[in-house]
């Protein structure tokens, strides 16, 4: 069996083992499993039945991870993306007036465009058109964003009424549980204990139980109905495909999908030192996003939490396939998964974010035309709570600064076009 896995996923050539890959996949699953509940609730805000949204989230994650694992052979987890799901429900449906069926059609069309870009020379052109400083900044910005999410999930910081961020109540049981779990997590990580993140999740759940944060007796067992889900599967509506609103939604979603995932995929393959796999990983990402509209959910992305699997030693697609298999099993254990509290997951997100922040050393801070757009990306991703908006601001600022110092020729034509599209998108949203 090990020989078969080795041939299929090239374990030896990537310095991987079956045990380490499976453990990394399990860690990735427990780090990202919160998406089942969170994404489903956001989709339900668009009108999609909650039970159907749960199954759609699970099935899309299973298929996305399997495609990534076998096609690209990298440990990048594909699940419905945070931020994009909010764009789906709150912008396209609630603000723009599309029905959830029409919004799923938008996802499908955007996925088609994404596939065209990923499987053509445009992907390479777009990747090469983005300066290295901006790519590094995206990775750092994602790390800072991940740390913020971890701090918020743990209750250590929260959105204040008179400030952007405020300290949480230090006497709060969740905060205490998060702090204790973080201390355990960082010690295990620093000592390089095998499966340290998985141990953190289990121990963190027990700590939360001891603090009375979770109640095992209150677990609800829910039986899912496939008949309800079949009303969502393939329920895309193209009735308003000729409307301006429909195509504005397509443009906005496509911009976010393509450029957010360029940054995410580049950061991940760079993290595991396998940049040659960018094209295949990007292609797998595009096919998964296309299928999301059919399965009945907002598009999948190459998640930031993939770094948890990588930090645990995951280097090949076996890690991702393992996560996908666990997502499939999760359909039968959702009540148990719901027991895992934020305080058990938050410390892992904070540690991974800290690891990604180390890429800031690769920035050339002496050249302000390179560093200033990068700094804005790093700052604006967490401050705007939007990966897409943070990237857009940096991409717009970069050519402006180059032009201002007479170095316009250093900016590729593709980047000028990208910046113009991002600027147009901002202007349109201001006007509308």
């Amino acid at each position: 069996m090990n020989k078969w896995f080795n041939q299929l996923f090239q374990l030896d050539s990537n310095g991987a083992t079956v045990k380490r890959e499976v453990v990394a996949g399990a860690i990735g699953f427990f780090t990202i499993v919160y998406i089942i509940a969170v994404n489903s609730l956001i989709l339900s805000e668009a009108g999609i039945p909650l039970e159907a949204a749960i199954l759609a989230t699970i099935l899309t994650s299973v298929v996305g991870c399997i495609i990534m694992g076998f096609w690209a052979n990298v440990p990048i987890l594909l699940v419905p993306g945070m931020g994009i799901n909010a764009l789906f429900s709150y912008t396209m449906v609630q603000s723009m007036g599309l029905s959830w069926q029409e919004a799923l059609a938008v996802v499908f069309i955007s996925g088609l465009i994404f596939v065209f870009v990923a499987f053509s020379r445009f992907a390479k052109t777009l990747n090469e058109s983005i300066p290295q400083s901006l790519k590094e900044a995206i990775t750092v910005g994602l790390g800072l964003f991940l740390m913020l999410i971890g701090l918020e999930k743990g209750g250590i910081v929260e959105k204040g009424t008179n400030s952007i961020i405020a300290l949480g109540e230090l006497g709060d049981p969740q905060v205490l549980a998060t702090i204790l779990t973080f201390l355990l997590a960082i010690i295990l990580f620093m000592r390089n204990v095998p499966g340290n993140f998985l141990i953190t999740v289990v121990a963190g759940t027990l700590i939360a139980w001891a603090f009375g944060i979770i109640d095992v007796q209150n677990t609800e067992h829910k039986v899912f109905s496939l008949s309800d889900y079949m009303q969502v599967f393939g329920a895309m509506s193209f009735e308003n495909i000729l409307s301006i609103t429909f195509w504005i939604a397509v443009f906005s979603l496509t911009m976010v999908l393509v450029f957010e995932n360029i940054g995410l995929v580049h950061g991940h393959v760079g993290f595991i030192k396998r940049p040659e796999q960018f094209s295949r990983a990007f292609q797998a990402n595009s096919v998964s996003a296309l299928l999301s509209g059919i399965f009945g959910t907002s598009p999948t992305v190459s998640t930031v939490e993939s770094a948890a699997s990588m930090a645990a030693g995951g280097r090949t697609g076996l890690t991702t396939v393992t996560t996908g298999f666990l997502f499939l099993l999760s359909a039968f254990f959702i009540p148990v998964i719901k027991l895992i509290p934020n305080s058990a997951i938050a410390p892992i997100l904070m540690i991974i974010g800290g690891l990604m922040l180390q890429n800031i050393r690769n920035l050339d801070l002496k050249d302000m035309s390179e560093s200033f757009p990068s700094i804005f990306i790093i700052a604006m991703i967490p401050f705007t709570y939007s990966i897409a908006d943070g990237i857009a601001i940096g991409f717009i600022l970069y050519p402006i600064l180059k032009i201002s110092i007479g170095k316009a020729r250093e900016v590729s034509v593709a980047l000028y076009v990208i910046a113009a599209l991002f600027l147009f998108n901002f202007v349109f949203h201001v006007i509308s």
Side-chain angles (χ1 to χ4, degrees):
M1 181 64 74
N2 285 355
K3 184 178 180 181
W4 183 79
F5 279 130
N6 182 50
Q7 291 177 342
L8 186 61
F9 296 104
Q10 303 171 6
L11 299 181
D12 288 344
S13 60
N14 288 293
T17 64
V18 172
K19 180 181 179 180
R20 191 186 307 150
E21 294 292 298
V22 170
V23 170
I27 290 169
F29 170 74
F30 284 114
T31 304
I32 196 62
V33 70
Y34 72 86
I35 199 68
I36 296 176
V38 177
N39 189 64
S40 303
L41 288 172
I42 292 177
L43 291 180
S44 68
E45 293 290 319
I48 298 177
L50 181 59
E51 292 183 17
I54 291 174
L55 284 176
T57 301
I58 291 174
L59 292 176
T60 305
S61 301
V62 171
V63 173
C65 286
I66 289 175
I67 292 173
M68 180 64 77
F70 284 111
W71 179 249
N73 193 28
V74 291
I76 298 178
L77 310 181
L78 292 179
V79 304
M82 293 297 295
I84 289 185
N85 51 15
L87 175 64
F88 178 94
S89 293
Y90 304 127
T91 301
M92 294 197 304
V93 176
Q94 295 187 8
S95 296
M96 301 179 73
L98 297 175
S99 66
W100 62 264
Q101 293 91 341
E102 290 169 343
L104 290 178
V106 169
V107 172
F108 182 78
I109 298 296
S110 296
L112 276 177
I113 299 173
F114 190 4
V115 168
F116 171 76
V117 171
F119 282 88
S120 67
R121 294 182 179 179
F122 285 108
K124 184 178 180 181
T125 301
L126 289 173
N127 188 37
E128 292 177 348
S129 70
I130 302 173
Q132 188 62 30
S133 60
L134 298 186
K135 292 178 181 177
E136 297 289 357
I138 291 170
T139 301
V140 177
L142 292 176
L144 199 58
F145 189 38
L146 203 57
M147 290 191 75
L148 175 61
I149 292 173
L151 289 166
E152 286 186 344
K153 281 185 173 295
I156 296 176
V157 300
E158 56 189 22
K159 294 179 181 178
T161 54
N162 298 318
S163 60
I164 299 175
I165 294 295
L167 280 174
E169 294 291 336
L170 295 180
D172 187 290
Q174 181 182 359
V175 175
L176 293 175
T178 301
I179 293 173
L180 289 176
T181 306
F182 174 77
L183 291 175
L184 173 64
I186 195 67
I187 291 171
L188 293 175
F189 178 79
M190 293 296 292
R191 295 184 63 85
N192 200 27
V193 175
N196 54 82
F197 285 152
L198 188 58
I199 295 172
T200 298
V201 170
V202 175
T205 302
L206 292 175
I207 291 172
W209 172 76
F211 276 90
I213 297 173
I214 57 177
D215 183 5
V216 179
Q217 304 297 326
N218 232 9
T219 304
E220 295 182 3
H221 296 274
K222 189 84 173 176
V223 179
F224 293 100
S225 172
L226 283 177
S227 61
D228 290 339
Y229 173 65
M230 293 311 294
Q231 296 176 11
V232 173
F233 180 81
M236 301 170 291
S237 173
F238 296 93
E239 289 184 6
N240 288 327
I241 194 171
L242 297 179
S243 70
I244 296 176
T245 301
F246 184 93
W247 286 103
I248 289 173
V250 168
F251 171 78
S252 299
L253 183 59
T254 303
M255 292 284 284
V256 174
L257 269 179
V258 173
F259 295 109
E260 179 176 334
N261 282 296
I262 281 180
L264 288 165
V265 173
H266 179 271
H268 289 321
V269 296
F271 188 81
I272 60 174
K273 295 179 173 59
R274 296 181 64 193
E276 72 282 356
Q277 293 302 110
F278 173 85
S279 293
R280 279 189 168 252
F282 197 54
Q283 290 167 0
N285 200 157
S286 69
V287 173
S288 178
L290 169 68
L291 295 175
S292 298
I294 299 174
F295 279 106
T297 179
S298 53
T300 54
V301 301
S302 297
T303 59
V304 178
E305 289 88 350
S306 299
S309 295
M310 299 173 189
R315 291 296 178 269
T316 74
L318 180 55
T319 293
T320 318
V321 171
T322 299
T323 303
F325 179 72
L326 291 174
F327 263 112
L328 184 61
L329 293 180
S330 70
F332 303 99
F333 297 99
I334 288 177
V336 177
I337 293 171
K338 286 182 177 179
L339 289 176
I340 300 174
N342 286 335
S343 61
I345 299 298
I348 297 176
L349 300 180
M350 287 185 273
I351 292 173
I352 295 166
L355 290 174
M356 297 179 74
L357 275 170
Q358 295 181 73
N359 279 43
I360 199 169
R361 65 178 179 269
N362 299 327
L363 295 180
D364 182 9
L365 299 178
K366 295 179 181 179
D367 185 349
M368 294 299 289
S369 67
E370 293 284 336
S371 63
F372 231 73
S374 301
I375 291 170
F376 264 84
I377 289 176
I378 294 170
M380 297 306 288
I381 286 178
F383 286 168
T384 62
Y385 221 83
S386 170
I387 298 170
D389 287 348
I391 292 174
I393 291 169
F395 277 35
I396 293 170
L397 188 59
Y398 187 89
I400 292 175
L401 294 187
K402 288 296 184 181
I403 292 171
S404 70
I405 59 174
K407 294 183 177 180
R409 292 184 178 180
E410 292 186 6
V411 183
S412 66
V413 175
L415 187 56
Y416 278 120
V417 174
I418 294 169
L421 289 173
F422 271 127
L423 182 60
F424 170 79
N425 193 42
F426 274 137
V427 171
F428 174 80
H429 279 91
V430 170
I431 295 175
S432 59

